[in-house]
Amino acid sequence: MAVEPDTETTTVVTPPVAKTVPTERVHHGDVVIDQYEWLRDKDDAEVIAYLEAENAYTEAQTEHLKPLQDKIFNEIKSRTKETDLSVPTRMGEFWYYARSFEGKQYGVSCRCPIDGPDDWNPPVLSVDADIPGEQILLDSNELAEGHDFFALGAFSISHDGTLLAYSTDVKGDERYTMRFKDLRTGELLPDEITGTAPGATWAIDHQHVFYLTVDESWRPDTVWRHKLGTERTADTQVFHEPDERYWVGVGSTRSEKYLMIWLGSKITTEGWMLESSNPEGEFRVILPRREGVEYSAEHAVIAGEDRFLIMHNDVVDGVKAENFVLAEAPIDNPSEMNILIGHHDDVRLEDVDAFSDHLVLSYRREALPRLAIWPLTETGYGERSELDFDLELFTVGGGSNPEWVQPTLRFGMGSFITPARVFDYVLATGEMLLRKEQPVLGEFDPGEYEQHRAWATAADGTQIPISITKRKDITEPAPLLLYGYGSYESSTDPSFSVARLSLLDRGMIFAVAHVRGGGEMGRLWYENGKTLTKKNTFTDFVDCARHLVDTGVTTPQQMVADGGSAGGLLMGAVANLAPELFAGIDANVPFVDPLTSILDPSLPLTVIEWDEWGNPLADKEVYEYMKSYSPYENVEAKDYPAILAITSINDTRVLYVEPAKWVARLRATKTGDSQLLLKTEMSAGHGGVSGRYAKWKEVAFEFAWILSTAGAV
């Protein structure tokens, strides 16, 4: 990096130039010379020096935005009730809740006793008053002290409320250390388990806990059983999955009757079960895996009998149930299924939760999530009722409902203009009791904002939904931030953001392109945006951007695209496809060198990704298809928009080297004078920095760049 004095008092910093070291890659007879693969070695001092030079350049180029960054940070801070409490959730003999405190980065987990067995009205807690019987279970601020990064991986209370299993990561590499706390005395037990994956599951005896470890590729592959008071070396391996396509998880049913092990690839699942009262027994398979068949199994008691509620996408009546069906089956013979809810082309079944006297169905219709309550009767099933909200756009989902027997259902809802709300649904009456609305301090009036749905027409005629929110007093065309993801059947639903107000109140429109590859419109929406149809994700986003320009909502000079991780791949692809449509592109931990990564099975999580992207090692067609859209492979000598790429040195999901190589190649190849910035967090993982104030500062940094790039300042 060179620094030259300007004729004025400012300093001009020239961008770093990465050296080129030719590295040959040969697959399917195709020879590729990669000049920047040397950046992969983060133990190389020269690599670290290059990343630090990029950071210094980015800091210098954004120095003029610091007053705006500070202002946005203070806006987020001033609108947030920093000292607050969550709505208490009952579990056993206690109400559990979280506290936040002004000036502290992390939350504090607490509990207080219930008044009696019929106490189902959560106490109204005040930050200004003492809470009788309050007990601090875990203060993450104390655990994070002295560390640049902190994340909690497990927080699991034993069923009798006497023990806590928790795990922490202080590097950002998603390798956790598990400890145990006696909640009766407040003392830590001597047991310590290092190198675990997130999560911990108690058996009903409160003496055995089940946990996961990962393989060299960071894939959770092994379930272990630990007995309190014994050495780690005495832990028993109860399950191991050697197939690198499968990710393993462990949990228990809400009824507490069964322990469950789940393993899944992107297209296939398999479940194993064990009575929780027999934690040292052998797990047994529920339904053997069959390639391309996904299922879940929820324990329910129907008309006095133990049953499994099985949601699956297997063939029913000769037709594959792409959007899933719901069936019931005997516990001792799960394959003997009776269909309860058949297949619908326009409804994607997603989940079923079982309680002692009712079920909760989660599904998607018309690109929005839905919840329905389904009572259980003495003879079977009652009449389902869908929760209704008088909003064009909204999001809704189940909240914390740990108890098998409870008279209310906790759920949350919100929208772009509705701060998150927590409700208790009274099962006996259908009444919805508002327990809490996300506080927004200052002069926030939801009536000053609007939200609506637009539809763009893709090149093949498919209608692509776009969710839009803005201030009502904005004159179009206006600066616009267009967000997209479009992978893994993940849906981006209309939710509220305090931080986003700093964009909206400066006249910026926020829009979400619900492109194929996501899950908003059902399973086929996902299927038509993965593997050999992946390009639909990118062209859908471009078509949404063109629609917003053609309808006068914004202009290319005012539009910034935004996406992270697999959404960062989307950002890199649209930068190559339609750079003229955007003033800037914000790419977080972007998966912009997918072919190099997916070709290397030794890299973290590569093999499990083959069902999502295809296997370019084994299939020449997949190789050529991925190469044709890979952002890094398709950098050209053309004028790109301004680009901000943010990554983390310890990210195990999308390695920092991908955006580092991408920016280096862009800088060496592009024409024009657009600014390319790379920012690498040197002590963080895939989720970026930790701590709420650090995250607010990061958001403020991005928002200042977005506003400046879109001409909104």
Side-chain angles (χ1 to χ4, degrees), residues 201-217:
T201 299
W202 291 96
I204 197 68
D205 68 353
H206 320 129
Q207 287 299 303
H208 293 87
V209 67
F210 294 79
Y211 66 92
L212 293 155
T213 55
V214 300
D215 63 12
E216 293 181 356
S217 296

Side-chain angles (χ1 to χ4, degrees), residues 437-502:
E437 178 172 294
Q438 177 184 2
V440 183
L441 306 184
E443 299 179 356
F444 168 71
D445 178 3
E448 294 178 349
Y449 305 85
E450 64 180 51
Q451 58 178 10
H452 68 277
R453 173 68 52 75
W455 297 84
T457 303
D460 62 2
T462 302
Q463 294 294 294
I464 314 298
I466 309 172
S467 296
I468 299 172
T469 187
K470 63 176 181 176
R471 286 188 62 94
K472 289 180 178 178
D473 56 4
I474 294 305
T475 300
E476 297 177 351
L480 184 143
L481 180 63
L482 182 60
Y483 175 83
Y485 187 76
S487 291
Y488 304 111
E489 203 180 0
S490 178
S491 300
T492 306
D493 295 317
S495 60
F496 187 79
S497 165
V498 166
R500 193 188 299 131
L501 295 175
S502 292

